[in-house]
């Protein structure tokens, strides 16, 4: 099996976390390289496109979170083999990436601009994405986004929902998901309760 090194920031979330989770769920050995924020400026230039996550496969470094998610999803048995189900999985991951990027763009804004941008996002695009994710989930049977089983799309949305509900995003009500998309809340709890996901976070807390 190829030697894998996944590199991302040293927190349990964000763009690198679905791949960490997928590798753990699949029991795929990998080096989990975590970069502290203070070390990032010096490390940035070592990444191909000046960003993380990256995945090193037998010495070859690739980037782009969803490309990595697809690759590790295939290794871990968490990516559909059927082309249509794979498309549904990809659509969700790319949509989650789009909305996550819009929220991330507000992080370094001055307070007034941040408040305005986040309030607009909360009532506008975030609500819209929650409704659409919920509709997609329903159309796929209500439990998982594709293939009627856990895939990397579920892990990507799980991380986004966790971020929205954590209360760390000022001006975005932390009960927005619960109010707008109860099925997504159930989905969040389903993924959190997956034995391997629960085991992973128990282990991380103890680390
Ligand atoms: N399209 C890229 C975006 C990667 C990205 O922007 N990563 C952020 C962390 S989540 C980053 O490296 N930020 C540090 C910086 O831009 O200096 C992907 O999906 O992986």
């Amino acid at each position: 099996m190829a030697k894998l090194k996944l590199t991302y920031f040293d927190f349990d979330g964000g763009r690198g976390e679905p791949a960490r989770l997928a590798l753990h769920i699949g029991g795929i050995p990998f080096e989990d390289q975590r970069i502290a924020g203070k070390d990032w400026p010096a490390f940035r230039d070592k990444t191909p496109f000046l960003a993380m996550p990256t995945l090193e496969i037998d010495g070859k470094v690739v980037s782009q979170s969803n490309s990595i998610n697809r690759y590790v999803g295939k290794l871990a048995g968490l990516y559909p083999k059927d082309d249509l189900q794979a498309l549904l999985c990809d659509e969700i991951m790319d949509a989650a990436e789009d909305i996550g990027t819009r929220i991330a763009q507000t992080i370094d804004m001055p307070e007034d601009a941040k408040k305005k941008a986040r309030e607009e996002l909360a009532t506008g695009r975030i609500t819209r994405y929650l409704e659409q994710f919920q509709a997609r989930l329903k159309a796929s049977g209500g439990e998982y986004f594709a293939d009627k089983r856990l895939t990397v799309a579920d892990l990507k949305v799980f991380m986004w929902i966790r971020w929205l509900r954590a209360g760390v995003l000022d001006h975005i009500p932390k009960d927005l998901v619960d109010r707008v998309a109860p099925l997504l809340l159930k989905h969040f709890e389903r993924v959190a309760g997956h034995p391997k996901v629960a085991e992973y976070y128990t282990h991380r807390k103890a680390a």
Side-chain angles (χ1 to χ4, degrees), residues 4-84:
L4 303 177
K5 176 159 81 174
L6 183 66
T7 304
Y8 191 61
F9 287 110
D10 63 346
F11 67 94
D12 293 333
R15 284 190 177 95
E17 188 79 348
R20 284 180 184 144
L21 275 177
L23 289 165
H24 174 76
I25 293 168
I28 314 286
F30 72 106
E31 184 185 340
D32 183 3
Q33 184 180 36
R34 292 173 180 248
I35 304 296
K38 69 174 172 51
D39 298 328
W40 170 240
F43 191 79
R44 183 187 286 120
D45 210 33
K46 297 196 172 96
T47 66
F49 296 106
L50 308 174
M52 297 190 289
T54 62
L55 181 67
E56 188 178 312
I57 307 152
D58 286 339
K60 184 172 173 47
V61 178
V62 295
S63 69
Q64 301 305 320
S65 55
N66 283 344
S67 303
I68 293 170
N69 291 341
R70 270 186 289 280
Y71 179 77
V72 301
K74 287 172 194 170
L75 295 181
L78 294 171
Y79 188 75
K81 289 200 162 61
D82 175 83
D83 286 343
L84 177 58

Side-chain angles (χ1 to χ4, degrees), residues 116-128:
K116 186 169 179 290
R118 286 192 177 170
E119 284 174 355
E120 278 173 17
L121 277 174
T123 53
R125 279 183 194 263
I126 296 177
T127 292
R128 172 70 177 226

